[in-house]
Amino acid sequence: MADILVAGETLVDLLPDSGATLHDVDGFSHRPGGAPANVAVGLSRLGADPAFWTRLGGDPFGGFLGETLGDESIDDAHVERVAGNTTLAVVSPPGVDDRRFRFYGSRDVTFGFDPDAVPTHALDDCSWVHLGGVALTHPDGRAAMRALAAEASDRGCTVSFDVNYRPDLVADGDGESVRDAIRSILADSDVAFASDEDVEAAGLSSSEGAALCRDLLELGPHTVVVTLGAAGALAVGSPESPWGDVTARHEGFTVDAVDATGAGDAFTSGLIARLAGGATDLDASLGFANATAALSVQDRGGMAALPTREAVEAFREERR
């Protein structure tokens, strides 16, 4: 497995216990989360040994997250401890036609990465760098992630980027700066991950399917992957990609879903594990990633439900 650096936020997901709306829920259960944190832990469970650059608050929630990352064999060499309170992501009950996440707490602690603390020395041993887009909603996070993506690209690392656009985290008057940062990182990226909702909300494309992928290819990556929820995933590679000029589609797997929190991150970790490990069959790699996501939705709590490589391989064998 190639050496991988993941960068981005670690936070706490508050999952509703019961109730039709947030107004009606009886209580919440706290779970470790944050898209990049989920990807890092997902890679670890799939057999990689990723480095992870993140920030943890000095509050009890930050302590909880630090212990969790340690239990998941994530090296703490690039895990920064800072004063202040951890961001909380309150998850809406299933079926609510509203925002899936509401964020509370200090944005400075969780998303305010120091541009002067970019771990460029970690790139000496990395061939793949993955970044999440949520940190771009903070001015310092934008500068730090842009600097990391540019440096990784200059050093010849494969750079992957999850757009993960969260408009409710974008401060008034800051939208154009965030969108500029997304375009800048896409220009330095090789592989882009997105949902069609991300892409439209960020003003990157109003197209769908393969046309959307081609719109994003024009912004810099050689491969674009669009997650389609229960409908699986679509990927398009340009002629410059390691897999060539190809369009791959996998319909996903039918399972009894319990909690979809973090399913996209499970998918991302599964695909990176395959591609960073040298796989060149994009169709088969999408199948592995979709199997990883399918297993993750069968239990509550995005990070806690991430599967091992052995579980993914066994699931795929059962579904052949």
Side-chain angles (χ1 to χ4, degrees), residues 78 91 144 185 193 204 207 247 253 262 267 282 299:
H78 308 295
V91 184
I185 293 179
F193 293 87
L204 300 174
S207 301
T247 297
F253 300 93
F267 172 91
L282 200 54
D299 200 356

Side-chain angles (χ1 to χ4, degrees), residues 172-206:
D172 290 343
D174 221 10
E176 195 58 39
S177 295
V178 175
R179 289 188 287 272
D180 284 347
I182 290 172
R183 290 177 178 272
S184 172
I185 293 179
L186 284 171
D188 285 322
S189 296
D190 300 287
V191 180
F193 293 87
S195 69
D196 50 2
E197 293 92 346
D198 288 337
V199 172
E200 185 172 3
L204 300 174
S205 173
S206 58

Side-chain angles (χ1 to χ4, degrees), residues 116-167:
D116 294 327
V118 174
T120 54
H121 56 285
L123 301 178
D124 295 338
D125 300 316
C126 288
S127 60
W128 192 294
V129 175
H130 177 73
L131 304 93
V134 175
L136 305 185
T137 60
H138 190 285
D140 290 340
R142 282 198 293 280
M145 294 301 156
R146 289 179 74 165
L148 176 59
E151 181 68 18
S153 179
D154 287 345
R155 294 197 187 198
C157 300
T158 297
V159 178
S160 61
F161 174 54
D162 179 6
V163 175
N164 201 14
Y165 186 69
R166 298 287 185 215

Side-chain angles (χ1 to χ4, degrees), residues 60-92:
F61 281 131
F64 160 69
L65 294 172
E67 291 178 7
T68 300
L69 293 178
D71 291 342
E72 296 290 348
S73 301
I74 302 297
D75 192 307
D76 66 355
H78 308 295
V79 176
E80 300 177 3
R81 268 75 173 183
V82 296
N85 294 325
T86 300
T87 296
L88 308 178
V90 178
V91 184
S92 295

Side-chain angles (χ1 to χ4, degrees), residues 253 274 284 287-288 291 311-320:
F253 300 93
R274 286 276 302 188
F288 183 91
V312 175
E313 295 291 7
F315 177 84
R316 295 180 75 208
E317 188 63 31
E318 291 173 0
R319 295 303 180 102
R320 290 189 195 282

